[in-house]
Amino acid sequence: MKLIYLLTGVLICCCSFSNCDKEENFTCVEFKDEVATLDSDPIQATNYVNALLSPLFPYPTFEDPTGHEANLILFAEKLEQHCNVDVTIECYGCIETFPVQSHVLVKIDSAGVIVNRTLDIRTPADTVMTLQGIHQ
């Protein structure tokens, strides 16, 4: 009887983990589609990027007054790993808006064609970063 409970628990855990992977991959597919096509209302891409950015709070220092440089690097690494895309930080806090913005270049394979898109990331010093927009 204990063996049946153990096997049932293992089966439930395995199903839970595989569902998470499927949801994450599905989200990446939607992210890639919306970014590659420059969707006019990229809800899934925005939600996905903001979910990756949401736990990354700023830690300002003398060298990094905005406090997000390490966070932006971590975001780029996560996006690259999770969605299998090439990510390059073009600039950090270089767009002088309020708050400043950073540019992150994403290269996506869209049916054998490499598509380059720039993510504009709001980079405030007092809260988490968020996606501002997507463009060529």
Side-chain angles (χ1 to χ4, degrees), residues 54-112:
S54 66
L56 305 175
F57 289 91
Y59 294 101
T61 64
F62 182 75
E63 295 82 22
D64 179 18
T66 306
H68 278 299
E69 187 171 19
N71 291 338
L72 194 62
I73 293 167
L74 183 60
F75 162 72
E77 290 170 352
K78 283 183 179 182
L79 186 58
E80 224 171 33
Q81 292 168 355
H82 291 179
C83 289
N84 194 28
V85 294
D86 290 328
V87 180
T88 304
I89 298 171
E90 290 185 317
C91 66
Y92 167 66
C94 59
I95 309 302
E96 295 185 16
T97 55
F98 185 75
V100 296
Q101 293 180 31
S102 300
H103 274 182
V104 176
L105 177 67
V106 179
K107 294 182 182 183
I108 298 171
D109 184 338
S110 177

Side-chain angles (χ1 to χ4, degrees), residues 1-11:
M1 194 58 135
K2 288 182 182 180
L3 182 60
I4 291 173
Y5 289 129
L6 178 64
L7 290 175
T8 303
V10 169
L11 182 60

